Amino acid sequence: MVIQSLRELKERNPGARVFFISGIVTSDGPLHIDGNLKTLSDYVDKIKSDGRFGPFVFSTPDVFNRPLFAKLDNAGCVNGDYLSFWRDLLRSRLIDGIIMTPSWQESNGASHELMTARQIRLNVFSAHLEDGRAIIRVMLRNNPFIMPAGFAA
């Protein structure tokens, strides 16, 4: 469903770039999930408002929310199922770059997402919030043709 939605988005918006924000969700324990999802949503808002990455920026809470996580967990989904989902999404070639948030190294999922991004040669950025703005730097420059405005090719 997500891959199909992204295909349709790119068909309706030729030349559109889609960026995924990766970060910690569950790795620091269940008590922190809501806060982590909120943090990722905040990054989406700040990076969209920055303008350089365009309007098509998303993260985990744009795909999974707490009720959906609960349903999937009750249906028997395990961490490997989520890892496969994000790996397949990145490998679909519908994502043009990945933006890593602070503490991504502590996240099994984010670490796997970065590994997949490297394997398929996506541009990778790091981001942190400072004075209410997203500060974004290039981590891996794999495709100069898909660099957002303001980042030298």
Side-chain angles (χ1 to χ4, degrees):
M1 182 120 167
V2 174
I3 290 175
Q4 182 60 34
S5 295
L6 286 172
R7 270 194 194 106
E8 291 170 6
L9 174 109
K10 288 207 163 201
E11 287 171 8
R12 286 191 313 270
N13 301 279
R17 303 286 186 231
V18 176
F19 294 91
F20 171 63
I21 299 176
S22 179
I24 194 166
V25 174
T26 62
S27 293
D28 57 350
L31 296 177
H32 299 281
I33 293 172
D34 289 332
N36 292 336
L37 293 173
K38 169 85 171 80
T39 297
L40 288 170
S41 292
D42 290 346
Y43 271 95
V44 169
D45 293 342
K46 299 292 184 194
I47 290 171
K48 280 183 179 179
S49 70
D50 173 85
R52 292 180 291 173
F53 287 81
F56 305 116
V57 178
F58 76 103
S59 67
T60 300
D62 295 308
V63 178
F64 296 105
N65 58 28
R66 286 292 275 193
L68 181 56
F69 274 130
K71 272 186 173 179
L72 293 170
D73 289 347
N74 288 336
C77 285
V78 295
N79 191 46
D81 296 316
Y82 296 107
L83 295 176
S84 294
F85 170 82
W86 292 112
R87 182 191 62 235
D88 293 347
L89 183 59
L90 290 170
R91 286 185 176 166
S92 74
R93 301 289 185 175
L94 297 167
I95 307 296
D96 297 297
I98 186 169
I99 303 166
M100 308 303 292
T101 58
S103 302
W104 67 264
Q105 302 93 328
E106 298 169 25
S107 167
N108 188 33
S111 296
H112 276 84
E113 291 154 10
L114 177 61
M115 181 178 65
T116 300
R118 284 181 170 153
Q119 289 170 347
I120 63 173
R121 302 196 46 78
L122 286 178
N123 289 328
V124 180
F125 304 85
S126 65
H128 68 275
L129 298 180
E130 187 175 295
D131 298 326
R133 323 183 355 233
I135 307 300
I136 305 163
R137 293 187 170 77
V138 176
M139 282 177 64
L140 293 171
R141 186 183 314 263
N142 287 316
N143 188 339
F145 300 106
I146 305 180
M147 290 301 285
F151 290 91

